[in-house]
Amino acid sequence: MEYKPSNAHVIKSVQKTSENEYGVIDVDAIDIHRPCIVVLGGELTDNPRFANHYIKQIKQVLGEYSNITDIYSIYYNFGSRDTDSERVNIFRKAGHRIRNTTKSIQEINANIDHMSATEPTPQYIKQLYNILLNPILVSGANGTRVPASTVAQRASNIRFYAHSHGAAVATMLGEYMAKQMKSMGYSANEIRNVQKNIIVIQHGPITTLEHPRFTTLSFASASDTKMNLHNRFSEYAADNSFDLFPSYFPQGGAHLFAAGEISTFITKEHDNEGLTKPETLTEDGQIILSAERNAIVNAVRGAGKPVPAIRDLVSGPGVNFDMLAANGDWFYKNMLVDIKNQPKQIPTHDYQK
């Protein structure tokens, strides 16, 4: 199998001019002294135009608050890496049983072996870390390590918006950042305090949701056939989507907001167009996307300050948090009862390597 290195690029929203009609520039570092929101798009975001589409969405959601924050967006070149297999590897490492994959398990294993041999840590993840996260850890031309309290303050200015594979990117960035901080001499407690100050808001995430490094809120549809979380909850929610009213699930630090269906188009349950086009949403979808929009605005508005409670992040127009929590509690308890009462089955191969 031929090896081609992966790469990632970061663009920043700037004022449009006659010379820069699209209003974006390439950057190789963030401004650590200003609040920012960084968009980690889906795997098809392979050029600046697609990355700029996400910037336009975020600008529309933020409205007047877009003037107080820097907005960045990513585009990728995955080289010889396979994103499906990359995500499977994330689930495997977290102990999930891998089933219902679009590729054969033999092909996935071959891809993972090739990626492990060529880029044990994806090159594009290293590049994004160096551009987006390393600047808050160091100062001066020599890259001197700064105190954890300073890093934590700088981290509180960073917000991510992730879509689809972008959530897997956020997961990998969190793990790589923790590893780098440990090698720099930060304690486990310091690393945890720093990373929890970074907020990630993700839509249709295809990654592990439990125990995230960053403070993470996920928004999803149970009818999203692309979002396989390889766990019992994901399978149960898909099979019982008609019973899933707009809900909040805090289990394992996932902070998942979901409903049975969010789009009026069955083929668009994975899309995030409802972020700026509420007319494309079901009634339940309007509640979930209202919570998502509120989270984006409140996260940006609270940049530089202690991370708010999840309730406060999603609260605002169109959202009753207590109702979401009650619905989630009802659905989760029913799931546990139903799973307990299911007849025991012959175990299937879990594809753990």
Side-chain angles (χ1 to χ4, degrees):
M1 190 182 300
E2 183 184 1
Y3 167 59
K4 296 179 181 177
S6 65
N7 290 284
H9 307 271
V10 181
I11 61 173
K12 179 183 179 182
S13 176
V14 296
Q15 192 72 32
K16 290 183 179 180
T17 65
S18 55
E19 291 78 24
N20 185 352
E21 60 177 311
Y22 297 110
V24 295
I25 58 171
D26 290 298
V27 297
D28 56 13
I30 64 169
D31 184 345
I32 62 172
H33 302 296
R34 280 181 54 82
C36 71
I37 184 165
V38 183
V39 185
L40 304 170
E43 64 187 71
L44 299 181
T45 315
D46 59 3
N47 62 70
R49 183 165 64 89
F50 290 178
N52 196 22
H53 165 74
Y54 284 109
I55 287 178
K56 292 175 182 177
Q57 281 187 316
I58 294 299
K59 274 188 170 182
Q60 187 172 334
V61 171
L62 287 177
E64 63 183 288
Y65 293 106
S66 64
N67 297 322
I68 67 169
T69 188
D70 291 335
I71 304 175
Y72 301 91
S73 190
I74 314 303
Y75 63 99
Y76 317 96
N77 177 354
F78 293 110
S80 57
R81 297 190 69 81
D82 179 73
T83 51
D84 284 337
S85 304
E86 189 168 62
R87 294 191 294 267
V88 165
N89 204 30
I90 291 174
F91 285 109
R92 268 188 182 165
K93 288 179 178 178
H96 291 229
R97 297 175 64 183
I98 307 303
R99 292 178 288 189
N100 303 321
T101 56
T102 55
K103 294 182 171 69
S104 72
I105 204 67
Q106 292 78 15
E107 183 181 357
I108 288 172
N109 287 340
N111 289 334
I112 291 174
D113 287 344
H114 182 256
M115 291 188 294
S116 298
T118 54
E119 290 184 6
T121 299
Q123 181 67 22
Y124 77 97
I125 294 297
K126 291 181 180 180
Q127 290 171 335
L128 291 178
Y129 165 80
N130 287 331
I131 295 171
L132 304 172
L133 297 171
N134 188 63
I136 70 171
L137 299 172
V138 300
S139 64
N142 296 327
T144 306
R145 191 194 94 153
V146 300
S149 58
T150 302
V151 180
Q153 176 58 38
R154 292 175 176 179
S156 68
N157 275 327
I158 300 177
R159 277 74 178 99
F160 287 105
Y161 178 76
H163 180 216
S164 189
H165 180 73
V169 175
T171 298
M172 290 185 282
L173 276 174
E175 293 301 324
Y176 186 68
M177 180 186 186
K179 183 178 178 182
Q180 295 305 109
M181 289 186 70
K182 183 178 180 180
S183 71
M184 295 169 71
Y186 292 102
S187 70
N189 193 50
E190 288 173 332
I191 295 170
R192 186 163 47 251
N193 289 339
V194 165
Q195 292 195 297
K196 288 302 180 185
N197 275 359
I198 296 174
I199 297 176
V200 180
I201 296 150
Q202 47 193 31
H203 183 96
I206 312 181
T207 189
T208 51
L209 302 187
E210 68 276 13
H211 311 302
R213 289 282 184 178
F214 305 129
T215 296
T216 304
L217 291 77
S218 296
F219 300 85
S221 164
S223 299
D224 179 356
T225 57
K226 295 182 181 179
M227 200 185 102
N228 185 354
L229 300 180
H230 301 288
N231 60 17
R232 295 295 295 273
F233 174 81
S234 181
E235 294 170 3
Y236 185 87
D239 291 341
N240 297 273
S241 60
F242 52 88
D243 280 335
L244 182 54
F245 304 111
S247 299
Y248 166 58
F249 300 96
Q251 288 81 5
H255 303 308
L256 171 65
F257 295 82
E261 292 181 350
I262 65 173
S263 175
T264 54
F265 302 95
I266 194 169
T267 58
K268 294 193 173 185
E269 292 291 338
H270 188 65
D271 295 354
N272 75 333
E273 69 175 357
L275 202 60
T276 54
K277 297 178 180 179
E279 67 274 10
T280 66
L281 299 170
T282 63
E283 288 186 12
D284 288 351
Q286 289 179 18
I287 294 172
I288 296 301
L289 271 293
S290 290
E292 186 172 332
R293 283 190 291 270
N294 292 344
I296 293 170
V297 172
N298 290 333
V300 166
R301 188 167 55 184
K305 303 172 185 175
V307 173
I310 301 300
R311 170 192 291 271
D312 295 331
L313 278 169
V314 300
S315 290
V319 175
N320 180 335
F321 182 81
D322 290 334
M323 180 201 72
L324 293 170
N327 287 347
D329 185 60
W330 176 84
F331 187 87
Y332 198 81
K333 286 178 178 176
N334 278 354
M335 180 192 74
L336 295 179
V337 170
D338 287 350
I339 289 175
K340 183 178 180 180
N341 292 334
Q342 284 177 357
K344 291 188 180 296
Q345 299 176 347
I346 299 174
T348 56
H349 195 290
D350 64 4
Y351 298 124
Q352 292 286 352
K353 190 178 179 186

